[in-house]
Amino acid sequence: MTAEDNDPDAALALTVAAVWRAERISCPHPHVLQSWLQGGLDGGAAEFVAFHLGDSGCPYCNAVIEDLKAREDEAAQPVLEDLKDRLLRSTVAALRKHKR
Ligand SMILES: [Zn+2]
């Protein structure tokens, strides 16, 4: 005799997860996710998003976050390149001054 097939908690959790995933009842708007990513949320809102992405593991919102991160990385690239360029130039200038 086994009790494995008859676990009401597991069955309920499965149902809740299925309904929740199908309906995306509590999904925050992508704009909210973006604000959260940029540190623009605080208190309960930030906690809710963190819980939604982490503990709830919502595949939809995690995909949105991945997408936003990828775009941010792209946007950040030129700035980094520019900074490297300026650093290099100021180093060269400093070396030239030193040599005389
Ligand atoms: Zn979601």
Side-chain angles (χ1 to χ4, degrees):
M1 221 165 67
T2 61
E4 277 165 33
D5 298 326
N6 207 8
D7 185 341
D9 282 348
L12 182 68
L14 209 67
T15 308
V16 169
V19 169
W20 178 76
R21 284 204 177 120
E23 303 291 330
R24 301 212 306 252
I25 293 166
S26 57
C27 278
H29 192 277
H31 285 167
V32 175
L33 295 174
Q34 190 172 27
S35 299
W36 177 80
L37 200 59
Q38 293 166 346
L41 295 183
D42 48 35
E47 266 172 42
F48 168 74
V49 175
F51 172 80
H52 187 78
L53 293 169
D55 291 353
S56 299
C58 173
Y60 173 76
C61 292
N62 275 292
V64 172
I65 287 288
E66 285 305 308
D67 193 46
L68 288 171
K69 273 187 190 166
R71 272 186 237 178
E72 257 186 17
D73 286 349
E74 268 172 41
Q77 213 61 34
V79 179
L80 260 176
E81 285 302 313
D82 190 49
L83 189 69
K84 255 193 267 172
D85 209 44
R86 268 188 288 157
L87 267 172
L88 191 68
R89 253 182 264 158
S90 63
T91 308
V92 169
L95 284 173
R96 280 198 187 132
K97 233 188 268 173
H98 212 69
K99 258 191 204 166
R100 82 145 295 211

